Amino acid sequence: MNTELKKMAAFGVAGNFTGHLEQAGEAADFVNVKVAEESAPKAVFPTYIPSRTEGIPEFLTVFPFDAHRILYPVDQNRLQIEPECAVVFDVLWNGDRVEKLIPVEFGASNDCSIRREGAKKISIKKNWGAGSKGFSEHTIKLDSFDSDGIINDYRIASFLVRDSKTYPYGEDSAIKDYSYIYSRLSDWITDRLNNQLDEGPAEQIGRYLVLAGRPERILVSIGATRYTEFGEKNFLTYGDRSVVVLYPGSVYSSEDIIKMTEAGDLERDDISFLDQIVEKL
């Protein structure tokens, strides 16, 4: 997966779970961003573009994914887990425009973020180099990307393990409860790739993709869940473990997942998870 992932452009979706931006202190960044409706996500932001081409910010060309570690910048102290479902899409191009996104598989994602005061673009908070993000090495193949597919049964849980104690970090949430999901989401992402402008905290991401040679696959982390009270108030520090779990709710209870996390026993064919240790960059 690591070799394949290096060839994909990677993005995140801002504001796809009601309340997350407010908890993260980022809602004010989007006051002037126009959206189709109040519940709509706010923007698609880049986290990695696989090309060192003029016109693409250099920091975005550094591969940020590590399935086992988060490398903590020594000059920062406000780093949070962003527990998400990420979807791999095949991209169909028509000239310089994206014609269609075809969902292929999904997996656990940590779109880890630095709460940088005054950052002009979302991406500046997202890619600070190697070990900035995480995507599970075990993905789940999609049978369909709709309410009839297996993904509709999946939930997102996340934990911070500190001093051998496991704390729920994000609210245990159903993937089907994203504000935009399935065809509505993929259509919206397609529109943003083609039409999003460089304004406010957003960037002209379609231009990056064209400059990168029109990648045939992209990875999109489709939005972070709301934090628990603990997750909202506690930032990561050295030695912490960040755990994000995607699991079928009809098979496992939230209590099952907590116990399996505590036991370090999450390896199942129907579970996609990340377990990252926080280390000094």
Side-chain angles (χ1 to χ4, degrees):
M1 170 59 72
N2 194 47
T3 302
E4 184 181 354
L5 192 56
K6 284 185 176 181
K7 299 177 182 178
M8 300 183 205
F11 301 93
V13 174
N16 202 17
F17 250 117
T18 302
H20 172 80
L21 289 177
E22 287 77 9
Q23 288 182 316
E26 296 177 342
D29 296 344
F30 296 92
V31 168
N32 296 318
V33 174
K34 295 179 181 179
V35 294
E37 56 189 17
E38 188 175 349
S39 64
K42 304 300 186 260
V44 174
F45 55 86
T47 55
Y48 171 62
I49 306 295
S51 175
R52 292 184 179 272
T53 302
E54 186 176 353
I56 300 173
E58 186 175 354
F59 74 92
L60 283 176
T61 69
V62 178
F63 184 69
F65 292 93
D66 191 316
H68 305 287
R69 299 182 303 165
I70 297 169
L71 297 181
Y72 203 126
V74 294
D75 62 339
Q76 300 294 326
N77 60 9
R78 289 167 56 83
L79 192 65
Q80 283 186 299
I81 306 167
E82 295 232 343
E84 310 195 20
C85 171
V87 179
V88 174
F89 293 95
D90 282 340
V91 185
L92 295 184
W93 289 89
N94 184 355
D96 288 345
R97 293 181 66 81
V98 175
E99 185 171 294
K100 188 176 183 180
L101 295 175
I102 302 172
V104 177
E105 56 193 3
F106 67 100
S109 168
N110 178 8
D111 194 31
C112 205
S113 188
I114 295 174
R115 304 305 176 199
R116 294 182 190 266
E117 297 292 336
K120 293 183 178 180
K121 299 295 183 185
I122 307 170
S123 57
I124 295 172
K125 307 175 186 181
K126 298 293 186 177
N127 185 337
W128 57 88
S132 302
K133 327 219 73 54
F135 181 56
S136 178
E137 293 177 326
H138 177 61
T139 57
I140 311 294
K141 296 292 183 183
L142 282 163
D143 51 351
S144 63
F145 194 52
D146 54 41
S147 59
D148 293 326
I150 59 172
I151 191 174
N152 203 57
D153 186 35
Y154 273 74
R155 303 184 64 85
I156 308 166
S158 59
F159 308 93
L160 185 152
V161 182
R162 175 177 290 169
D163 298 328
S164 300
K165 295 182 180 179
T166 301
Y167 302 92
Y169 201 80
E171 293 181 3
D172 189 304
S173 305
I175 287 176
K176 64 184 178 182
D177 288 341
Y178 274 110
S179 295
Y180 276 29
I181 193 62
Y182 306 144
S183 61
R184 189 185 195 192
L185 176 65
S186 57
D187 289 348
W188 177 83
I189 295 171
T190 301
D191 175 77
R192 293 297 78 205
L193 292 174
N194 288 325
N195 299 310
Q196 183 169 286
L197 301 177
D198 189 339
E199 58 183 8
E203 293 167 75
Q204 193 174 355
I205 49 179
R207 179 172 174 269
Y208 293 166
L209 287 180
V210 172
L211 289 172
R214 305 175 193 84
E216 295 179 354
R217 275 195 169 183
I218 62 172
L219 174 73
V220 183
S221 293
I222 64 176
T225 62
R226 289 180 294 273
Y227 292 117
T228 61
E229 183 177 357
F230 178 89
E232 186 175 2
K233 295 179 178 179
N234 284 269
F235 297 94
L236 295 173
T237 191
Y238 305 131
D240 287 345
R241 281 174 45 221
S242 162
V243 182
V244 181
V245 187
L246 264 57
Y247 70 95
S250 65
V251 180
Y252 309 96
S253 67
S254 59
E255 291 78 14
D256 291 334
I257 297 301
I258 292 173
K259 290 177 181 177
M260 291 160 68
T261 299
E262 291 174 334
D265 184 31
L266 286 165
E267 292 194 13
R268 304 285 192 283
D269 288 344
D270 56 356
I271 289 178
S272 176
F273 76 96
L274 273 170
D275 190 335
Q276 297 169 285
I277 186 78
V278 179
E279 299 178 356
K280 186 180 294 187
L281 180 63

